[in-house]
Amino acid sequence: MIDPANGIDRIMDIAVAGKTIARVAENIPAEEAKKVIDVTGY
């Protein structure tokens, strides 16, 4: 994830609920998700 406004440039997990970013963290457990999409390398 690259977010210059907040000084973030590292691999992060992003949780989305509907059309809203619900959570950004270094490690969100997959068990908490309804669906997991691995975008490694994109």
Side-chain angles (χ1 to χ4, degrees), residues 1-5 8-10 12:
M1 175 178 169
I2 299 173
D3 180 358
I8 300 171
D9 183 1
R10 62 184 176 271
M12 300 286 283

Side-chain angles (χ1 to χ4, degrees), residues 10-35:
R10 62 184 176 271
I11 296 173
M12 300 286 283
D13 291 344
I14 302 171
V16 178
K19 294 182 179 182
T20 303
I21 295 174
R23 182 175 169 196
V24 177
E26 289 190 33
N27 186 18
I28 300 173
E31 302 83 42
E32 294 181 12
K34 289 183 182 179
K35 182 177 183 180

